[in-house]
Amino acid sequence: ERRGDEAGKVLKSLPFTMGLEPVILPDDEVRMNSDDRRDLQEAKVKNRETTATAKRALRIARETQDVAGQTLASLDGQTHKIRQLDDKMVGMKEDVKKSESYLRYIGRACVCCSCCVKDPTMKEEGEWGKQVKRKQKKEKKDEAAAAKGKGAGGGPRGGAGPP
């Protein structure tokens, strides 16, 4: 009792106790029955499992953050490249428009001056194309003639039957 009184006096004199009486446990060990010990062991195991699960979840969350950061950096780089390509495409489109206007001007000037340049809007068939068309027409005629010849020679001969 004397020891408990002394500890109580010391604690009461401390400013953080706010006038509350501290609970002093007896010097002897707390006695637990077998069910209490089993429950305590189960609680310790569950606590370890929960802690391990929380650590794994935290590790996965950090890895996910790292992957997200890398993905964002990659997407930013790709966005930059796409913008550069878009700018180049706009420049190319403007160049094509200028070139088309120059070609129209040159075409008008050359056609009006009756020089040796032909109108680019006219389609001209080359000699090779003409030869291919002639050959195809000839093959069709030959096939038609062959089909006609087979159909004409297959009828009965003469008007009389066997004697």
Side-chain angles (χ1 to χ4, degrees), residues 10 17 23 25 37 43 61 70 78 88 97 104 119 128-129:
V10 170
T17 60
V23 177
L25 296 175
R37 286 189 182 125
Q70 293 169 358
Q78 291 175 2
K88 286 181 182 180
K97 285 181 181 180
R104 279 193 299 273
D119 187 5
W128 179 79

Side-chain angles (χ1 to χ4, degrees), residues 25-37:
L25 296 175
D27 289 338
D28 61 306
E29 245 180 72
V30 177
R31 297 176 192 232
M32 293 192 291
N33 61 22
S34 62
D35 289 338
D36 292 338
R37 286 189 182 125

Side-chain angles (χ1 to χ4, degrees), residues 22 27 30 32 45 48 58 65 77 86 92 98 109 113 124 162:
D27 289 338
V30 177
M32 293 192 291
V45 169
R48 286 187 206 113
L58 183 61
Q65 261 184 330
D86 188 47
M92 290 172 69
K98 283 182 184 177
C113 296
E124 185 177 293

Side-chain angles (χ1 to χ4, degrees), residues 104-115 117:
R104 279 193 299 273
Y105 173 76
I106 292 170
R108 284 187 214 129
C110 290
V111 170
C112 291
C113 296
S114 298
C115 64
V117 178

Side-chain angles (χ1 to χ4, degrees), residues 33-47:
N33 61 22
S34 62
D35 289 338
D36 292 338
R37 286 189 182 125
R38 183 178 41 85
D39 289 344
L40 182 62
Q41 289 298 358
E42 288 176 5
K44 286 179 181 179
V45 169
K46 196 61 121 171
N47 185 20

Side-chain angles (χ1 to χ4, degrees), residues 92-145:
M92 290 172 69
K93 190 174 182 179
E94 290 172 1
D95 291 345
V96 167
K97 285 181 181 180
K98 283 182 184 177
S99 299
E100 287 175 344
S101 67
Y102 289 147
L103 287 174
R104 279 193 299 273
Y105 173 76
I106 292 170
R108 284 187 214 129
C110 290
V111 170
C112 291
C113 296
S114 298
C115 64
C116 57
V117 178
K118 295 182 181 179
D119 187 5
T121 58
M122 291 179 55
K123 291 188 178 180
E124 185 177 293
E125 193 171 300
E127 189 62 33
W128 179 79
K130 291 177 184 176
Q131 289 176 356
V132 169
K133 284 187 178 180
R134 279 189 233 131
K135 188 174 181 181
Q136 287 175 346
K137 284 181 184 178
K138 184 178 176 186
E139 287 175 357
K140 284 183 182 179
K141 285 181 185 177
D142 290 344
E143 287 176 9

